[in-house]
Amino acid sequence: MRRHELSDAEWEFVCPLLPVSSRGRKRLDDRKVLNGIVWKFRTGVAWRDVPERYGSWATLHTRFRRWARDGTFERMLRSAQAKADAAGDIDWLVSVDSTVVRAHQHAAGARKGGHRSPALGRSRGGLTSKIHLACDGLGRPLAFTLTGGNTNDCTQFTAVMEAIRVPRIGPGRPRVRPAHVLGDKGYSSKAIRTWLRRRGIGHTIPERADQVRNRARRGRQGGRPPRFDKRLYTQRNIVERCFNRLKQWRGIATRYDKTAESYQAAVTLASLLMWA
């Protein structure tokens, strides 16, 4: 095993989740291809600079694009989550947050619309993307969405929550409802709290200072303050540690991919290995 490659334990975890080739001709070994893809995103190099020991860079890129488009990485992540849930290994205290990712100049220039949508936003620091993510109580990604970096966090809350779908091994619907949700002040809105209450999901989200003032100014008509558990809220740092682990991959900490589809596939692959 070389640096930035899959360990034997990671390969044993991922191997059963890979799709079986239906083509008659022999193709490049899946472990070699996956090692090359992982090496590329962990180091952040261009596809052409991936070492020749992993085979042709064009083959690696083609396999990666195929798996990204047909949802292979997404299915692998769901399968890993299903196995963990069947073993009772998921902590359903879910934390939600976002992180901004600086986009390299190579990420610009993709066509807009469809699967080639760039999901880039222009801010004072240049082009950026934002990963909106929900993780379990052990800091492993359950679901995420990708937007431009200038997108407000609260607008993506329901999209992230509705993306949580952990399949059952055997009969039964996927699990979609956390036991409790932790979020920072960016998610303090009446709409979000109402959405959570209607689904019977407990939540710990602090109020913003302006909301506290407005409620106090209205007196009794302002209503009671939302329930807030300070002790439970201290566990929200788990999602920050989750982002820190994802950004150990240089190809994720800085976005080089032109299409949102490719970048999302890279984040999904990194998320998958966090379940190993």
Side-chain angles (χ1 to χ4, degrees):
M1 173 191 166
R2 294 184 172 90
R3 191 174 180 221
H4 301 309
E5 293 183 352
L6 295 172
S7 66
D8 290 339
E10 288 175 328
W11 171 246
E12 289 178 6
F13 173 78
V14 170
C15 182
L17 306 177
L18 285 168
V20 178
S21 175
S22 59
R23 301 186 179 188
R25 60 185 181 184
K26 187 177 180 180
R27 66 176 188 177
L28 191 62
D29 178 64
D30 279 337
R31 183 168 188 176
K32 182 182 289 188
V33 169
L34 199 56
N35 271 333
I37 294 172
V38 169
W39 195 94
K40 179 258 188 292
F41 284 104
R42 279 180 170 165
T43 60
V45 302
W47 283 105
R48 292 176 184 270
D49 296 328
V50 176
E52 293 182 0
R53 63 175 176 266
Y54 300 116
S56 166
W57 70 266
T59 300
L60 300 181
H61 181 256
T62 299
R63 193 82 61 87
F64 171 76
R65 291 289 296 148
R66 182 190 307 147
W67 284 346
R69 286 186 175 180
D70 66 13
T72 292
F73 293 118
E74 180 67 22
R75 286 193 295 271
M76 291 169 69
L77 177 59
R78 297 297 187 205
S79 296
Q81 292 172 345
K83 288 184 177 180
D85 188 47
D89 188 37
I90 296 183
D91 184 342
W92 286 97
L93 175 63
V94 173
S95 297
V96 183
D97 206 351
S98 72
T99 187
V100 174
V101 176
R102 186 74 176 270
H104 192 271
Q105 59 185 2
H106 294 167
R111 302 173 189 171
K112 295 182 179 180
H115 68 272
R116 296 187 64 84
S117 175
L120 293 171
R122 189 172 295 278
S123 60
R124 187 176 300 176
L127 292 176
T128 55
S129 291
K130 185 178 280 190
I131 302 172
H132 307 261
L133 180 142
C135 72
D136 79 334
L138 300 177
R140 299 168 300 185
L142 287 168
F144 69 92
T145 61
L146 185 67
T147 67
N150 54 354
T151 302
N152 194 292
D153 288 358
C154 65
T155 63
Q156 289 296 303
F157 179 83
T158 56
V160 173
M161 296 299 294
E162 289 173 350
I164 298 175
R165 296 186 64 83
V166 178
R168 310 279 188 180
I169 294 181
R173 297 179 180 179
R175 176 153 185 180
V176 299
R177 190 169 64 181
H180 199 90
V181 173
L182 304 178
D184 62 17
K185 293 181 180 179
Y187 300 101
S188 179
S189 74
K190 184 177 180 181
I192 288 176
R193 295 182 193 277
T194 300
W195 188 90
L196 289 168
R197 278 195 296 268
R198 286 178 177 173
R199 286 157 180 78
I201 302 174
H203 59 278
T204 300
I205 301 173
E207 280 189 298
R208 298 195 309 268
D210 63 314
Q211 294 175 332
V212 174
R213 289 194 300 268
N214 290 338
R215 181 168 42 76
R217 178 174 51 82
R218 296 180 63 188
R220 290 184 178 180
Q221 294 182 349
R224 296 180 179 179
R227 188 175 180 180
F228 181 73
D229 188 332
K230 289 184 179 181
R231 183 193 58 80
L232 194 59
Y233 187 69
T234 60
Q235 299 186 49
R236 201 194 65 82
N237 67 82
I238 291 173
V239 70
E240 303 293 348
R241 299 204 297 270
C242 177
F243 282 131
N244 287 341
R245 290 180 64 188
L246 283 175
K247 288 188 173 182
Q248 293 298 312
W249 294 52
R250 294 180 181 178
I252 292 176
T254 300
R255 175 179 165 178
Y256 298 93
D257 301 273
K258 288 185 181 295
T259 66
E261 181 183 65
S262 291
Y263 185 68
Q264 183 155 343
V267 178
T268 303
L269 175 58
S271 299
L272 167 66
L273 293 180
M274 290 173 65
W275 287 88

